[in-house]
Amino acid sequence: MSYDVNNIFARILRQEIPCNKVFEDDKVLAFHDVHPKAPIHILIIPKGAYINFHDFHQHAEPETIIHLYKKVADIAEQFNLQQSGYRLITNCGVDGGQEVPHYHIHLVGGDKLGTAVGK
Ligand code: 5GP
């Protein structure tokens, strides 16, 4: 499977479609999910063209990988979630239920969450 340059997050990165941005630097963009599943639901994406978790970890430079996860933690603090807790989710591929084929991490919190694993 090759990277679809017209997926919705690629279009957000090219600023063809707006997003409600919460953080941006040269490697990472984070924005509110358009259909939030919790009071806080943020999507955090690398700017590079990676399809999903698997692709990112197989092909990105180690510094890029470390940088992304450091920013995930920073953004959790930006929303004061470090004490109350939060959940990180990444859906990978068809069986993982991934809808948008650009790697993204869901940062979800702001309330007690239900169970998330399984069917
Ligand atoms: P996935 O199922 O791929 O892990 O999650 C995709 C997420 O992207 C969904 O939670 C969906 O609500 C969100 N989403 C889809 N299109 C857009 C969009 O145009 N803007 C934003 N901010 N979120 C989107």
Side-chain angles (χ1 to χ4, degrees):
M1 186 182 172
S2 58
Y3 181 80
D4 170 12
V5 296
N6 289 318
N7 78 74
I8 199 100
F9 294 169
R11 297 186 65 201
I12 285 174
L13 282 169
R14 290 196 297 270
Q15 298 180 10
E16 292 169 8
I17 333 179
C19 72
N20 189 356
K21 192 192 313 184
V22 303
F23 174 82
E24 181 171 21
D25 68 11
D26 58 329
K27 291 192 177 68
V28 173
L29 177 68
F31 49 94
H32 291 280
D33 195 293
V34 75
H35 295 125
K37 310 290 189 303
I40 296 167
H41 186 171
I42 294 162
L43 300 169
I44 303 161
I45 70 175
K47 288 193 170 177
Y50 301 102
I51 300 170
N52 55 33
F53 173 90
H54 200 83
D55 185 27
F56 184 63
H57 285 264
Q58 295 291 39
H59 298 113
E61 295 298 327
E63 313 85 76
T64 306
I65 296 172
I66 291 165
H67 180 79
L68 178 71
Y69 296 121
K70 174 74 178 122
K71 290 306 160 193
V72 171
D74 289 349
I75 293 163
E77 289 214 3
Q78 185 181 329
F79 284 82
N80 260 318
L81 295 175
Q82 69 274 21
Q83 294 296 337
S84 54
Y86 54 90
R87 182 173 293 157
L88 303 177
I89 301 165
T90 186
N91 299 318
C92 182
V94 174
D95 281 1
Q98 183 178 3
E99 288 173 7
V100 179
H102 180 110
Y103 179 42
H104 53 281
I105 298 164
H106 299 252
L107 168 63
V108 188
D111 202 354
K112 185 108 175 107
L113 302 171
T115 56
V117 179
K119 283 193 166 190

